[in-house]
Amino acid sequence: MPTPTSYTREQILDAAMHAVHEHWRSATVAHVTARLGAPSGSIYHRFRSREALFASAWIRSIRRFHRELERVSAGDPVEAIVETALLIPRFCRENPLDARMMTAYRYNDLMQDPPPGLLVDLENLNAPVGETLNRLTLARYGRATPRGLSIVALACREAPIGLIRPMIGEAIPLWIDDAVRAASTGIARLPDEP
C-alpha cells in the first residue's frame, strides 16, 4: 500500500490562499483539497474546521503585512506617514494572494466568534498597527490626541485602502502610488486641533 502524501501546514495555507484568491469568501475545503490533490482528512488533521483553516491563512497574511510595516522608516514625520501609506499599494501589488486573503475577514468579526483554537492567535494581532499609528502621531504632533490619531489613521491606513480596495488581488497600477502619496500628504498636514 502506498504511503499517503504528507502536506505541511504552509502548503495547506498556501492552497487556502489560492482558493480565496479564486473564490473569495465562497472558497471551500474542497477547493483546497483539489488544489493540493489531498483528501479532506489531510486538512482536518491540522485544522478543526473550514473557518479555522481560512482564518489561519488570513492571520498569516496579516502577520506578513505587519513584518513589512515594521520596516517602514523616514526621518520627517509627514514623510513617515506617507511611506506607511505607500506600503499598502506596494504590499498588495507584490503580494496579491496575501492582499486578497486579507479581505476575506474582518478582525472584529473573528473576535466576536473566533474559530476553534485561534483565540490566542487573534488576541493582539493588530497591536503592531496601533503601535505604528501611535508612534507616527507622536512624531507628527508631539502628542497623541484622539483627533491626531484619527488624522494619522486616515492618512496612512483608510485613504490608501480606500483607493486600492477595488483592485486588491488584481494588478495595481503604479500610478496609484501617486494618488496615495497626494492624499496621504494632504491629510497628514492637517493640524491635530480645530
Side-chain angles (χ1 to χ4, degrees), residues 30-110:
H31 292 129
V32 176
T33 59
R35 181 160 193 93
L36 283 173
S40 60
S42 295
I43 308 299
Y44 291 116
H45 176 69
R46 288 191 171 84
F47 301 95
R48 296 182 189 179
S49 66
R50 176 201 176 274
E51 288 303 311
L53 166 63
F54 289 107
S56 293
W58 179 85
I59 290 167
R60 184 180 71 163
S61 292
I62 296 292
R63 287 181 173 151
R64 286 175 173 173
F65 176 78
H66 289 168
R67 282 195 295 274
E68 296 301 314
L69 185 62
E70 292 169 5
R71 295 184 178 120
V72 175
S73 65
D76 176 73
V78 170
E79 190 57 28
I81 291 168
V82 173
E83 285 303 311
T84 302
L86 286 169
L87 172 62
I88 292 173
R90 289 174 185 158
F91 180 86
C92 293
R93 184 180 298 118
E94 294 166 8
N95 305 279
L97 297 178
D98 281 310
R100 181 81 160 156
M101 189 73 239
M102 290 168 62
T103 67
Y105 292 98
R106 292 176 46 91
Y107 179 76
N108 290 339
D109 294 340
L110 285 174

Side-chain angles (χ1 to χ4, degrees), residues 62-173:
I62 296 292
R63 287 181 173 151
R64 286 175 173 173
F65 176 78
H66 289 168
R67 282 195 295 274
E68 296 301 314
L69 185 62
E70 292 169 5
R71 295 184 178 120
V72 175
S73 65
D76 176 73
V78 170
E79 190 57 28
I81 291 168
V82 173
E83 285 303 311
T84 302
L86 286 169
L87 172 62
I88 292 173
R90 289 174 185 158
F91 180 86
C92 293
R93 184 180 298 118
E94 294 166 8
N95 305 279
L97 297 178
D98 281 310
R100 181 81 160 156
M101 189 73 239
M102 290 168 62
T103 67
Y105 292 98
R106 292 176 46 91
Y107 179 76
N108 290 339
D109 294 340
L110 285 174
M111 284 303 292
Q112 285 179 2
D113 187 20
L118 292 184
L119 181 59
V120 171
D121 289 322
L122 287 167
E123 288 177 333
N124 300 313
L125 179 65
N126 282 332
V129 173
E131 292 163 6
T132 298
L133 293 176
N134 194 61
R135 177 178 48 79
L136 291 170
T137 303
L138 288 170
R140 169 67 180 94
Y141 299 113
R143 59 188 182 165
T145 65
R147 179 182 165 111
L149 284 164
S150 294
I151 289 169
V152 170
L154 182 61
C156 69
R157 185 178 60 191
E158 279 86 12
I161 290 172
L163 287 167
I164 69 157
R165 182 171 289 282
M167 304 173 210
I168 289 177
E170 307 300 328
I172 297 176

